[in-house]
Amino acid sequence: MPIVTLGQVTDGGTRKRSAYDEIGDPVTLRRLLEATLLLESNLRLGDLLSHIVEEARSLANARYGALGVLDAAGTEVVEFYVSGLLPDVEAFLLAGPLPTGRGVLGVLIEEPRPIRIRAIGDHPSSVGFPPGHPPMASFLGAPIKVRGNVYGNIYLTDKIGADEFTADDGIVIEALALAAGIAVENARLNQRAGEVAVYEERDRMARDLHDGVIQRLFAIGLSLQGMTSAQAGRAVAESISSVVDDIDETIRQVRATIFELGAEGRGRGIRAGVLSLIEEMRPMIGFPVPVEFAGPVDSAVTDEVAEQLLSTLREALSNVARHAQATGADVRLQVSGRDCRLEVRDNGTGMVDNPAPGGGNGLGNMRSRAESLGGSFEVVQPAIGGTTLIWQVPIMPIASGDLPHYGRGPGT
């Protein structure tokens, strides 16, 4: 894979000045170069970005630091790394929803250029801090940008020993932001290359499934159907008919799997989004959360539904982590007919009373997301204990012409 370097050269070959050119302090420059050299190491991206935000906080003498990675559209924070918070405060804040880009943080997303503020609360875009957030005053932010592509932002607050950050602090943070941008860009380039290889392998698997499995199931089903017409007795005929039904259901499931294998090559899909979110939240939940998928979830779930579904799942898992006192939980996502149904179950203490329509602990948000899509939200408390959240919304049916062509057999 190509590796992005720090050299900035114009089309005419003349080297442009970078943030590094403005740094005169040899110690600072050495530390920046050491951070940059980590791009060639085998550190995972998360560890590298955590190191960069630590260095940014140290070099600018800031009490707190954070680094937010944006989604591909550059409009929403999808990863957030913090430095300087007490462990219990950090755990509490990261267990809740990530910053959405409102307030001062949103200024950097809307206008990706460095910004210094003497007092955050005095800025016209300031919206205050969420409950449990430590107070912060001075602010320094810089976009994580490479060749015009914005990948996120570095935020520093509370300059130690002074009322505000300096212009030199801004230059240093710009250089670190450049290193962070290179790291994110390289990671995404490598990820795309890996995905291409995976999609090619999935296409091969889909063909093998059709040629090696479905055709045999068809043959077995036809043989059994022929046996039911023989003089075999009513009980035997009914048993064989039940087996034929099971085979038909298996064929439908395999066809759905084939479609998913082919469809995932066209985009990331809700399946990957769900698995990624659960893996992200596993440290705060404290135990693995198994997931069951049923139906053509990747092909049927639209982007609009996927966005609300993932936000709902994040709220639900956050409730499990913070309130349920559970030792186990599981998730089921099913697409059946015109409906998409998400179930999140845990074996925790449950709720004393059935929550009101507005709900608490994020329940009102989950209900609102479902109703905004014409769906419903329900909290069920099974007799065996625990809680089950059921979030169901309608989706557009999949046209038969959208299915990949693998051939058709009897009974399909």
Side-chain angles (χ1 to χ4, degrees):
M1 286 304 302
I3 298 296
V4 182
T5 62
L6 288 174
Q8 299 184 35
V9 181
T10 65
D11 293 338
T14 304
R15 185 179 182 277
K16 295 170 62 180
R17 294 177 64 82
S18 75
Y20 288 80
D21 296 324
E22 304 295 331
I23 300 169
D25 178 25
V27 175
T28 299
L29 185 58
R30 177 179 58 80
R31 290 180 62 180
L32 286 170
L33 292 177
E34 287 175 352
T36 303
L37 288 174
L38 287 176
L39 298 177
E40 302 291 338
S41 69
N42 292 322
L43 280 178
R44 57 184 290 272
L45 179 61
D47 294 334
L48 179 56
L49 296 181
S50 294
H51 178 78
I52 286 176
V53 73
E54 287 279 358
E55 280 294 300
R57 187 170 69 90
S58 174
L59 286 168
N61 206 23
R63 193 178 310 280
Y64 305 110
L67 187 154
V69 178
L70 300 176
D71 60 9
T75 58
E76 183 178 349
V77 176
V78 292
E79 296 176 57
F80 206 70
Y81 303 88
V82 298
S83 174
L85 294 172
L86 294 173
D88 57 337
V89 176
E90 178 178 333
F92 174 78
L93 293 176
L94 291 182
L98 293 176
T100 58
R102 296 177 62 234
V104 174
L105 301 190
V107 173
L108 267 172
I109 295 176
E110 296 173 3
E111 301 179 21
R113 58 173 181 258
I115 179 174
R116 283 190 295 135
I117 304 173
R118 184 183 181 88
I120 297 175
D122 294 340
H123 193 277
S125 297
S126 177
V127 295
F129 299 106
H133 198 288
M136 297 177 178
S138 54
F139 178 86
L140 171 62
I144 297 172
K145 184 165 60 173
V146 177
R147 290 198 297 269
N149 297 318
V150 180
Y151 294 106
N153 297 289
I154 292 180
Y155 317 104
L156 299 177
T157 60
D158 279 12
K159 173 77 172 180
I160 298 173
D163 292 335
E164 62 182 321
F165 292 95
T166 67
D168 287 344
D169 293 331
I171 292 170
V172 170
I173 301 313
E174 280 189 72
L176 278 171
L178 176 59
I182 292 168
V184 175
E185 184 170 70
N186 282 337
R188 290 185 176 176
L189 286 172
N190 283 291
Q191 183 181 25
R192 292 190 197 108
E195 286 175 354
V196 169
V198 170
Y199 295 151
E200 291 175 350
E201 178 64 11
R202 282 176 171 169
D203 285 341
R204 184 195 64 77
M205 290 170 61
R207 291 192 297 270
D208 290 348
L209 271 174
H210 176 259
D211 296 338
V213 178
I214 282 192
Q215 298 298 350
R216 291 189 181 185
L217 287 172
F218 283 147
I220 294 171
L222 285 173
S223 298
L224 290 174
Q225 284 177 333
M227 291 174 62
T228 60
S229 61
Q231 303 299 319
R234 181 174 181 179
V236 175
E238 289 179 351
S239 178
I240 292 174
S241 179
S242 176
V243 173
V244 171
D245 290 341
D246 290 342
I247 290 176
D248 285 342
E249 176 60 26
T250 301
I251 290 172
R252 282 191 290 272
Q253 292 179 4
V254 173
R255 278 196 176 278
T257 300
I258 290 174
F259 182 73
E260 299 294 356
L261 288 171
E264 285 190 16
R266 296 192 294 271
R268 187 167 181 265
I270 188 65
R271 184 189 303 257
V274 167
L275 294 174
S276 176
L277 176 58
I278 289 176
E279 183 64 23
E280 171 195 330
M281 299 193 69
R282 178 171 175 173
M284 64 188 72
I285 296 172
F287 49 79
V289 178
V291 189
E292 178 184 355
F293 297 98
V297 294
D298 278 329
S299 55
V301 177
T302 64
D303 290 344
E304 181 183 13
V305 170
E307 179 182 359
Q308 300 299 332
L309 187 150
L310 289 174
S311 295
T312 298
L313 180 58
R314 181 182 291 277
E315 292 260 19
L317 293 177
S318 179
N319 275 352
V320 172
R322 299 168 62 181
H323 306 295
Q325 300 178 35
T327 59
D330 62 83
V331 173
R332 174 180 170 83
L333 177 58
Q334 177 182 9
V335 167
S336 178
R338 298 172 63 91
D339 291 320
C340 172
R341 181 184 177 98
L342 172 69
E343 295 183 17
V344 181
R345 296 173 290 193
D346 69 68
N347 65 353
T349 55
M351 300 178 182
V352 177
D353 299 306
N354 194 44
N361 299 335
L363 300 180
N365 291 338
M366 296 183 236
R367 187 182 304 278
S368 296
R369 291 190 183 99
E371 292 175 350
S372 71
L373 296 171
S376 61
F377 175 70
E378 183 181 5
V379 180
V380 178
Q381 302 194 67
I384 59 174
T387 303
T388 300
L389 305 182
I390 302 173
W391 189 86
Q392 184 165 317
V393 298
I395 57 174
M396 295 298 294
I398 304 171
S400 59
D402 293 337
L403 292 171
H405 179 68
Y406 291 107
R408 295 185 177 274
T412 63

